[in-house]
Amino acid sequence: MRSEPFFHTIAELAALLDAGKLSSVELTKAVVARTKAVDARVKAFNSYDEDDALAQAAASDARRSTGQVRGLLEGIPVGLKDVISVANQPLTASSRMLANFISPYDATVTQRLKRAGAVLWGRLNLDEFAMGSSTENSAFGPTHNPWDLSRVPGGSSGGSAAALAAGEAVATLGSDTGGSIRQPAALCGVVGLKPSYGLVSRYGLIAFASSLDQIGPLTRTVEDASIMLGVIAGHDPFDSTSCQTEVPDYRAALAEKRGPWRIGIPQEYFGEGLDPEVGAAVEQAIAFYRSRQCVIKEVSLPHTQYCLDTYYIIATAEASSNLARYDGIRYGHRTAEAVDVGELYCKSRAEGFGAEVKRRIILGTYVLSSGYYDAYYLRAQKVRTLIRRDFLNAYQDVDALLTPTSPVPAFTLGEKTNPLAMYLCDIYTIGANLAGLPAISVPCGFTGGGLPIGLQLIGQPFREAELLPIAHCYEQAHDWHTAHPKL
Ligand code: GLN
């Protein structure tokens, strides 16, 4: 199935590179050629620099030839969502506001990928400032789902998921504030991991909602996700919310931990709005775990009904504050027309931001304004505590929770015109962000029409080493992850 190098996993490619059967330059050339062949249709990339990537690959091959292999990512092309800073490369957040911005420094995750020998390849499309679930909010045009080009790849990390599914990168990084890694992973048939809040540094990530944002990997397999997480995780003094926690060997944990596990099924995640084909695939996955002697236990997360409201108060409040810095003064778009500084702020922001970003700034400013703060923002913070408590209570009886990732498979471009309909895409993913929990989406089947379906497993805080083996166990017994779209 995986004949072309660009459809191989990190683990497979590392073995080929080690054995001298492939060089990083050959691999990178294959990925570049694949990108040139398909990206006019997929549109996963905002930009890429072929010469730069090939120079990184040549440097990697040179290191390898002198025995200086830095790790499993040595020589592997990894794509980054265009909100993660790479020194001297564009950093646009898919916004007109930053259309011409060049990052002056590396994000911590970028530094860590470089230190691990990865070849950084391209800037991947997203919903503007990571606000959306379809990548249609990109100022540069939407990304298309490689499994059906008339459909969305999900979002906001739609470029990261689509590029990976289409063989335009071997692994990618996304960011996840309310589902932006897991939902596009589900819709594109790849693995997506949102780590525990505080495990991966946010330094150098363009901020959307700082108490929810986490960077994480999109990969072909759970093993590759473990490898990527091992590289990017760990304390960083440049991010005050980064935790002082040890980083275990996630990959080794896959072989060590084999269950059986106690798996909780939150009843609130299987109600109205769940597509029957998605529901059936997830039921099959539950049956699989039962067949592996896992204890399947129905659990309740009673505050689930408040997740969406809570998220859209907290996320917009934080966004309105984070996005205040884009005023046309120090960087970003500046209007050509202002007569005074007030007009400069207003026009620069009016011209630079798209409609969804403006909607969020207005909503966020409203919920933080005096007279409304207590009724909305403060109350949402309290409800957030209750939501987190629901999860922690459930974990007294179970090791992980199992749910669908997205209530629906990939929908048609242009189909969801109502913002609330779009927000409902996140209904199963935002809980993990509000509670700070690790959560992974793994492929669990296809619809009759050939669209990928994703299964979500939500773990306990900072227990990625226990969550990943549960996902790995399922993946190893199925071959959904070995299928690739025909482009
Ligand atoms: N779709 C959600 C939103 O629009 C989540 C986005 C994200 O995780 N960045 O806010």
Side-chain angles (χ1 to χ4, degrees):
M1 277 302 242
R2 298 191 194 275
S3 51
E4 300 92 342
F6 45 77
F7 279 139
H8 281 56
T9 66
I10 295 170
E12 291 164 352
L13 289 165
L16 290 174
L17 289 160
D18 266 352
K21 293 190 177 144
L22 183 73
S23 70
S24 175
V25 167
E26 286 164 347
L27 171 60
T28 305
K29 278 187 175 162
V31 169
V32 169
R34 173 69 174 178
T35 303
K36 287 181 172 170
V38 302
D39 208 56
R41 286 171 285 150
V42 178
K43 300 187 162 70
F45 285 77
N46 284 341
S47 62
Y48 53 72
D49 184 339
E50 179 180 347
D51 294 340
D52 173 62
L54 289 172
Q56 294 177 62
S60 168
D61 285 337
R63 282 195 296 273
R64 194 180 288 279
S65 70
T66 53
Q68 294 168 296
V69 173
R70 294 176 175 177
L72 287 169
L73 288 185
E74 181 68 68
I76 305 282
V78 176
L80 266 51
K81 184 177 183 177
D82 204 358
V83 277
I84 299 172
S85 309
V86 179
N88 306 316
Q89 286 196 15
L91 178 67
T92 71
S94 289
S95 178
R96 276 190 301 278
M97 185 58 90
L98 293 173
N100 300 313
F101 185 73
I102 302 291
S103 179
Y105 63 87
D106 278 337
T108 296
V109 293
T110 304
Q111 274 287 322
R112 291 187 179 184
L113 287 174
K114 285 182 175 174
R115 248 185 269 144
V119 171
L120 300 179
W121 167 237
R123 312 291 307 151
L124 295 163
N125 199 13
L126 63 143
D127 287 296
E128 184 177 2
F129 284 101
M131 297 174 186
S133 305
S134 69
T135 320
E136 291 168 294
N137 294 335
S138 168
F140 310 137
T143 296
H144 297 242
N145 191 311
W147 292 92
D148 176 346
L149 294 170
S150 70
R151 292 175 186 269
V152 304
S156 66
S157 311
S160 300
L164 179 62
E168 302 172 82
V170 177
T172 60
L173 287 184
S175 64
D176 190 314
T177 306
S180 275
I181 290 172
R182 292 160 286 157
Q183 184 256 13
L187 271 48
C188 290
V190 297
V191 173
L193 171 68
K194 182 200 88 73
S196 301
Y197 184 79
L199 183 62
V200 176
S201 169
R202 294 178 296 106
Y203 179 73
L205 168 71
I206 291 186
F208 164 10
S210 303
S211 76
L212 300 161
D213 300 339
Q214 264 302 276
I215 295 172
L218 293 97
T219 53
R220 302 200 185 289
T221 61
V222 176
E223 181 181 28
D224 281 4
S226 310
I227 294 169
M228 291 281 284
L229 184 64
V231 169
I232 62 174
H235 180 251
D236 176 15
F238 289 151
D239 173 358
S240 62
T241 61
S242 158
C243 286
Q244 299 266 11
T245 176
E246 57 143 350
V247 177
D249 185 338
Y250 299 111
R251 189 172 179 234
L254 302 182
E256 287 158 13
K257 304 199 176 122
R258 296 169 172 278
W261 297 281
R262 298 167 306 160
I263 295 179
I265 313 297
Q267 54 181 68
E268 291 83 359
Y269 283 56
F270 289 82
E272 201 191 328
L274 177 59
D275 176 275
E277 285 187 291
V278 175
V282 173
E283 291 294 341
Q284 289 280 312
I286 296 171
F288 164 79
Y289 283 111
R290 197 175 276 123
S291 77
R292 292 294 168 104
Q293 281 71 55
C294 292
V295 176
I296 305 294
K297 191 167 186 288
E298 196 159 293
V299 298
S300 176
L301 304 171
H303 296 91
T304 299
Q305 56 178 312
Y306 305 114
C307 277
L308 203 67
D309 300 16
T310 305
Y311 172 84
Y312 275 96
I313 292 170
I314 292 172
T316 58
E318 295 182 11
S320 72
S321 165
N322 276 326
L323 272 60
R325 71 190 72 178
Y326 304 104
D327 55 10
I329 303 291
R330 278 209 294 181
Y331 49 76
H333 174 76
R334 178 183 294 180
T335 184
E337 295 187 358
V339 296
D340 58 36
V341 73
E343 204 177 285
L344 181 91
Y345 291 156
C346 291
K347 285 198 168 159
S348 297
R349 288 167 69 81
E351 293 165 8
F353 291 136
E356 181 62 27
V357 174
K358 286 176 185 160
R359 183 179 358 259
R360 307 253 181 142
I361 293 173
I362 292 167
L363 190 59
T365 307
Y366 177 80
V367 299
L368 288 176
S369 56
S370 80
Y372 296 102
Y373 181 94
D374 288 1
Y376 293 106
Y377 186 70
L378 189 63
R379 179 163 300 191
Q381 291 290 14
K382 291 177 180 169
V383 177
R384 181 177 187 175
T385 302
L386 298 175
I387 291 167
R388 180 172 163 87
R389 224 174 264 167
D390 281 355
F391 280 100
L392 299 183
N393 281 338
Y395 288 130
Q396 301 199 331
D397 299 323
V398 299
D399 302 309
L401 299 168
L402 185 158
T403 78
T405 304
S406 162
V408 292
F411 44 93
T412 306
L413 285 151
E415 179 182 324
K416 291 198 196 292
T417 46
N418 172 342
L420 186 58
M422 193 68 85
Y423 298 173
L424 285 167
C425 294
D426 310 321
I427 194 90
Y428 303 143
T429 46
I430 47 185
N433 300 81
L434 289 166
L437 306 170
I440 188 166
S441 180
V442 287
C444 78
F446 290 89
T447 65
L451 299 172
I453 300 173
L455 166 74
Q456 177 176 234
L457 291 158
I458 310 173
Q460 306 180 51
F462 297 100
R463 301 238 191 123
E464 277 79 356
E466 276 144 70
L467 175 66
L468 289 159
I470 306 178
H472 181 71
C473 167
Y474 174 83
E475 180 190 76
Q476 290 304 296
H478 298 82
D479 60 3
W480 312 118
H481 63 288
T482 63
H484 303 300
K486 292 179 188 48
L487 275 163

